Amino acid sequence: MKKITLKDIGKHFGVSISTVSKAVRDSHEISTELKLKIQKYAKENHYKPNKLALNLLNKSTKTIGVVVPNILNYFFIQVLYGIEKIANEKGYNIISCISDESNEKEGKTLEVLDAGTVDGLIMSLTNDSNINKNINYIQEIANNHIPVVLFDRVSDAVKCDKVIVDDYESGFKTTEYFINIGCKNIAVITPISNSNIGKLRIEGYKKALYKNGIPFDEGMILNIERKHDLDLEMSFLLNYKEIDALLCLDEITAVKVQTIVKERGYSVPGDISIIGFTNGQLSKYVTPAMTMVSQHGKYIGEMASKMLIKRIEEPDNGEPFETKVIKTSLIVRESTKKLD
Amino acid sequence: MKKITLKDIGKHFGVSISTVSKAVRDSHEISTELKLKIQKYAKENHYKPNKLALNLLNKSTKTIGVVVPNILNYFFIQVLYGIEKIANEKGYNIISCISDESNEKEGKTLEVLDAGTVDGLIMSLTNDSNINKNINYIQEIANNHIPVVLFDRVSDAVKCDKVIVDDYESGFKTTEYFINIGCKNIAVITPISNSNIGKLRIEGYKKALYKNGIPFDEGMILNIERKHDLDLEMSFLLNYKEIDALLCLDEITAVKVQTIVKERGYSVPGDISIIGFTNGQLSKYVTPAMTMVSQHGKYIGEMASKMLIKRIEEPDNGEPFETKVIKTSLIVRESTKKLD
DNA sequence: CTGAAAGCGCTAACAC
DNA sequence: GTGTTAGCGCTTTCAG
């Protein structure tokens, strides 16, 4: 009962392997009578063309590789969901890899994916890959082997299609929102200070301060590394100045920060307003429900998937690489003072 | 600059293709001098054996297929994370598919995965696949093609390795916990009433009631379908009886239920204690932080991955199929009254 | 209408 | 030491 092949069927009917192939594919070259017999037999024995053979023949696998830094992050899950949705509709499968924020693992993953297993690649870079050799590798893959689409954490050094969020703009808009509701001392808490997107958001923040005549103060930027004691860092920050607004660059940080701030007796949003990035499941259910910047992860995934599949199916169509910028939107809830 | 093959290298040096193959694989059969030349050239041109060819040759792809009903559910993400971790360590890749709780999509996914693309399969069934033909298909795959490991939502009808949670036991223990903290009117809210695991948990619940002399009342079981208005259903339930405990069979339901209960003016845990299944990110940060049943998703994933890879690498070792039961644990937080 | 042969890229047994 | 051959399972000319 092992998998049945064309050869097996051929033997059974005493016909050649190519005849069987044509018969199961309903070719007009084969007599109706024989076709019917063969097709019936094939169906009964659950014949299915061996994908591996077809892959080799067609040099295509109908699968796309996805590399994300961290799968326990709701934003990336949403993107993954969007990618899978579109890919599935178009008959592609997803082979998903987690780089775990490690350049080394990212590199290894690329090695595997570049060996012919996937028809295209969608990825978001590990936090520090800007200064890392994977960049060159990715560029080489994109140039010579398979189409690549980068999303969210992208690099200018790689020429390929990209889907990003208007990070600069959203840093700017969010900060202005704080200013509009009357906040003056706005601090930023970032777990992604060494990534481009983190930097851009902070640039936007600075721009908004500048435009509104508020001097920028380096001390208002809190970089939190993975292992840092957020609690302690926050107490330094809160003692540093009379802060009335906190911009957190990811969701889990926002939620944790709100918890800490509340524990220290501040009222949210009475004393301090908080906005976080990534509108996931968390921020909606905490108390107070948090105002968040939605990056529309699912949409980003869908977009990336569409762009990639287009490149796969229409190679060398000469279209220049595109960078789609997805506008963020502010989901206003209870962690910010009312705009009136 | 397209991908270079053995043939290309052979042509370049005027040697045969098999010589090149041996040279790049550092075979002792080849003269050191030639080997060095070839290896150098291969490296310079980024030669990499074509995976597709190897796959066909070895009838193996070093990838495992994972089918989960829903990827936006933290439990499944945790499992996926665990699966990927172990698989990665052992040199396997993951091709992940979402069945979206749809039998039809599940079936299609199986078709694809069964065509030779994966060396093994890890899956959790869609809610109603017990009464569905995919069961037979899965059994056939497990019997004749590739090893299969089922987890969480499994079916007795399929003979294969399984990793499950002690659902009955945890329903029982959780209910007894409620009783021990003094709750008498314990309702259950289930979004998975038509799945085995949901049924088992409720069986455990009944058993605990029975053991403690509390009569079971069908009205205390609230089945919520996907589209139902939870708010409305909850108000029926709360009016039905003086409820002092709520057992919710998944995390998002638990969090939503707590929100609704609080909005209606009940104090948690003063008036009503709440426990939910799946200890994800949400329950920890809501107010009050919720007491949850942890299913140890990551561990389940790791276990499933190990069992599958063992079957893949040691086929027909005659070991009977195993069902590992992972014990749940209760993470006590603030949504339940203190045990004193 | 049916079959033989080539080839996708690679490995392995077996010559030479 | 190096090359030849066969074959993984399939499709696709091209003969017959």
Side-chain angles (χ1 to χ4, degrees):
Chain A
M1 267 299 184
K2 265 286 166 217
K3 297 209 105 175
I4 190 172
T5 70
L6 289 183
K7 208 205 243 173
D8 301 327
I9 304 185
K11 206 181 295 168
H12 180 259
F13 286 105
V15 298
S16 86
I17 184 177
S18 56
T19 304
V20 180
S21 169
K22 286 170 187 163
V24 295
R25 315 186 78 223
D26 209 26
S27 158
H28 59 275
E29 294 184 70
I30 307 295
S31 70
T32 323
E33 191 194 10
L34 183 55
K35 266 203 301 202
L36 254 43
K37 274 202 306 190
I38 291 182
Q39 287 175 356
K40 179 156 174 283
Y41 185 78
K43 175 159 275 178
E44 282 169 2
N45 290 281
H46 305 105
Y47 170 75
K48 232 175 301 168
N50 182 322
K51 265 260 180 189
L52 303 183
L54 292 185
N55 287 349
L56 180 57
L57 207 56
N58 306 326
K59 290 158 169 248
S60 134
T61 59
K62 279 285 188 176
T63 70
I64 74 190
V66 179
V67 186
V68 292
N70 173 3
I71 205 189
L72 299 177
N73 173 314
Y74 199 75
F75 171 67
F76 288 121
I77 296 285
Q78 283 180 104
V79 176
L80 196 61
Y81 183 72
I83 293 174
E84 207 273 349
K85 182 161 170 287
I86 297 296
N88 186 273
E89 284 170 10
K90 310 224 177 191
Y92 286 77
N93 276 99
I94 299 298
I95 149 161
S96 40
C97 306
I98 308 172
S99 61
D100 249 338
E101 300 287 9
S102 145
N103 258 296
E104 198 195 332
K105 201 175 165 200
E106 186 180 64
K108 279 196 193 138
T109 300
L110 287 172
E111 290 274 354
V112 176
L113 262 23
D114 185 36
T117 24
V118 296
D119 293 352
L121 203 53
I122 297 179
M123 66 185 297
S124 188
L125 304 176
T126 56
N127 251 335
D128 43 357
S129 23
N130 295 308
I131 45 166
N132 153 295
K133 68 175 159 49
N134 288 339
I135 289 291
N136 293 327
Y137 192 9
I138 295 168
Q139 183 68 71
E140 198 208 308
I141 293 175
N143 288 347
N144 305 322
H145 304 164
I146 50 174
V148 174
V149 173
L150 252 35
F151 74 90
D152 195 53
R153 304 208 201 141
V154 305
S155 164
D156 289 340
V158 182
K159 305 294 173 221
C160 68
D161 289 316
K162 294 167 195 166
V163 185
I164 55 172
V165 145
D166 58 340
D167 285 294
Y168 176 83
E169 185 70 13
S170 67
F172 178 79
K173 284 191 305 188
T174 312
T175 308
E176 280 223 309
Y177 186 85
F178 273 135
I179 296 171
N180 289 340
I181 59 177
C183 299
K184 296 242 176 308
N185 295 304
I186 307 163
V188 178
I189 297 151
T190 168
I192 47 170
S193 54
N194 48 2
S195 80
N196 249 329
I197 60 168
K199 286 175 190 143
L200 284 170
R201 290 175 193 170
I202 289 176
E203 284 311 308
Y205 158 83
K206 287 183 187 169
K207 170 78 181 305
L209 294 186
Y210 178 78
K211 186 184 156 203
N212 289 275
I214 303 175
F216 168 66
D217 174 359
E218 190 69 56
M220 297 292 266
I221 309 288
L222 174 57
N223 298 317
I224 52 168
E225 313 277 317
R226 276 204 165 193
K227 294 272 155 68
H228 277 198
D229 182 344
L230 181 58
D231 228 318
L232 190 67
E233 304 265 20
M234 280 301 297
S235 80
F236 289 149
L237 180 66
L238 293 169
N239 288 333
Y240 175 70
K241 245 187 198 168
E242 184 104 340
I243 283 164
D244 56 12
L246 289 166
L247 177 57
C248 304
L249 298 197
D250 77 354
E251 185 179 35
I252 188 82
T253 303
V255 169
K256 285 181 180 167
V257 161
Q258 172 161 291
T259 307
I260 292 170
V261 165
K262 276 165 54 188
E263 272 169 7
R264 294 188 182 283
Y266 294 90
S267 132
V268 178
D271 304 322
I272 300 182
S273 287
I274 307 179
I275 298 181
F277 269 75
T278 303
N279 182 38
Q281 293 194 112
L282 276 175
S283 43
K284 190 160 146 196
Y285 293 107
V286 294
T287 312
M290 304 192 70
T291 296
M292 302 297 284
V293 177
S294 169
Q295 294 145 297
H296 307 294
K298 184 180 162 215
Y299 185 73
I300 291 178
E302 291 173 351
M303 182 65 79
S305 214
K306 277 181 199 157
M307 289 171 91
L308 183 72
I309 291 171
K310 187 152 178 235
R311 289 280 177 202
I312 292 173
E313 298 185 344
E314 306 163 20
D316 311 314
N317 64 357
E319 301 220 0
F321 292 125
E322 242 182 310
T323 294
K324 298 255 188 206
V325 180
I326 309 300
K327 288 229 171 298
T328 57
S329 35
L330 195 68
I331 313 291
V332 177
R333 289 195 276 247
E334 320 296 330
S335 68
T336 43
K337 277 189 287 195
K338 290 289 161 259
L339 185 67
D340 48 15
Chain B
M1 266 296 185
K2 263 288 165 215
K3 300 210 104 175
I4 191 172
T5 69
L6 290 184
K7 207 203 239 172
D8 300 328
I9 305 185
K11 207 182 297 169
H12 181 259
F13 286 105
V15 298
S16 88
I17 185 178
S18 58
T19 305
V20 181
S21 169
K22 286 169 187 163
V24 296
R25 314 183 79 222
D26 208 26
S27 159
H28 59 276
E29 293 184 66
I30 307 295
S31 71
T32 323
E33 189 194 11
L34 182 55
K35 265 203 303 202
L36 253 44
K37 275 202 309 192
I38 291 182
Q39 286 175 359
K40 179 156 174 285
Y41 184 79
K43 176 160 274 179
E44 281 170 4
N45 289 281
H46 305 103
Y47 169 75
K48 232 174 302 166
N50 183 322
K51 265 261 182 189
L52 303 183
L54 291 184
N55 287 347
L56 181 57
L57 207 55
N58 307 325
K59 289 158 171 246
S60 134
T61 59
K62 279 281 186 181
T63 70
I64 74 191
V66 180
V67 186
V68 291
N70 173 5
I71 204 186
L72 299 176
N73 173 314
Y74 199 74
F75 170 67
F76 288 121
I77 297 284
Q78 284 181 102
V79 176
L80 197 60
Y81 183 72
I83 293 174
E84 208 273 348
K85 183 161 170 289
I86 297 295
N88 186 273
E89 284 169 11
K90 310 226 176 190
Y92 285 78
N93 276 98
I94 298 299
I95 149 160
S96 41
C97 305
I98 308 172
S99 59
D100 250 338
E101 300 287 9
S102 142
N103 258 296
E104 198 194 333
K105 202 175 165 202
E106 186 180 64
K108 279 195 191 138
T109 300
L110 287 172
E111 291 272 354
V112 176
L113 262 25
D114 185 38
T117 25
V118 295
D119 293 352
L121 203 53
I122 297 179
M123 67 185 297
S124 189
L125 304 175
T126 56
N127 253 334
D128 43 357
S129 24
N130 294 309
I131 44 167
N132 153 296
K133 68 175 159 49
N134 288 339
I135 289 292
N136 293 326
Y137 192 8
I138 295 167
Q139 183 68 71
E140 197 206 311
I141 294 176
N143 288 346
N144 306 321
H145 305 163
I146 50 176
V148 174
V149 173
L150 252 34
F151 74 91
D152 195 52
R153 302 208 203 142
V154 304
S155 164
D156 290 340
V158 182
K159 305 296 173 221
C160 67
D161 288 317
K162 293 168 196 167
V163 186
I164 55 172
V165 145
D166 57 343
D167 286 292
Y168 176 83
E169 186 69 12
S170 69
F172 178 80
K173 284 191 304 190
T174 313
T175 307
E176 280 223 310
Y177 187 85
F178 273 136
I179 295 172
N180 290 338
I181 60 178
C183 299
K184 295 243 176 307
N185 295 304
I186 308 163
V188 179
I189 297 150
T190 169
I192 47 171
S193 53
N194 47 2
S195 80
N196 250 327
I197 59 166
K199 286 175 192 145
L200 284 169
R201 291 173 192 170
I202 290 177
E203 284 311 310
Y205 158 83
K206 286 185 189 170
K207 170 78 180 302
L209 295 186
Y210 179 76
K211 184 182 158 204
N212 289 275
I214 302 175
F216 168 65
D217 174 359
E218 190 68 56
M220 296 291 267
I221 307 290
L222 176 56
N223 299 316
I224 53 171
E225 312 278 317
R226 275 205 164 192
K227 295 274 156 63
H228 276 199
D229 183 344
L230 182 57
D231 229 317
L232 190 66
E233 304 265 20
M234 280 302 295
S235 80
F236 288 148
L237 180 65
L238 294 168
N239 288 332
Y240 175 70
K241 245 186 199 170
E242 185 104 338
I243 284 164
D244 55 13
L246 289 167
L247 177 57
C248 305
L249 299 197
D250 77 355
E251 185 179 35
I252 189 81
T253 303
V255 169
K256 285 182 180 166
V257 161
Q258 173 162 289
T259 307
I260 291 172
V261 165
K262 277 165 55 189
E263 272 170 6
R264 295 190 181 281
Y266 294 90
S267 134
V268 178
D271 302 322
I272 299 183
S273 288
I274 307 179
I275 298 181
F277 268 75
T278 303
N279 182 39
Q281 292 194 112
L282 276 176
S283 42
K284 190 160 146 195
Y285 294 108
V286 295
T287 313
M290 302 190 72
T291 297
M292 301 297 283
V293 176
S294 169
Q295 293 144 298
H296 308 294
K298 186 181 162 214
Y299 185 73
I300 290 178
E302 291 173 351
M303 181 65 78
S305 216
K306 278 181 199 159
M307 289 171 90
L308 184 72
I309 291 172
K310 186 151 180 236
R311 288 281 177 200
I312 291 173
E313 298 185 345
E314 305 162 20
D316 310 316
N317 63 359
E319 301 219 1
F321 291 125
E322 242 182 311
T323 294
K324 299 254 190 207
V325 180
I326 310 299
K327 288 230 170 295
T328 57
S329 35
L330 196 68
I331 312 290
V332 177
R333 289 195 279 247
E334 321 296 328
S335 68
T336 42
K337 276 188 287 194
K338 291 288 163 258
L339 187 63
D340 48 14

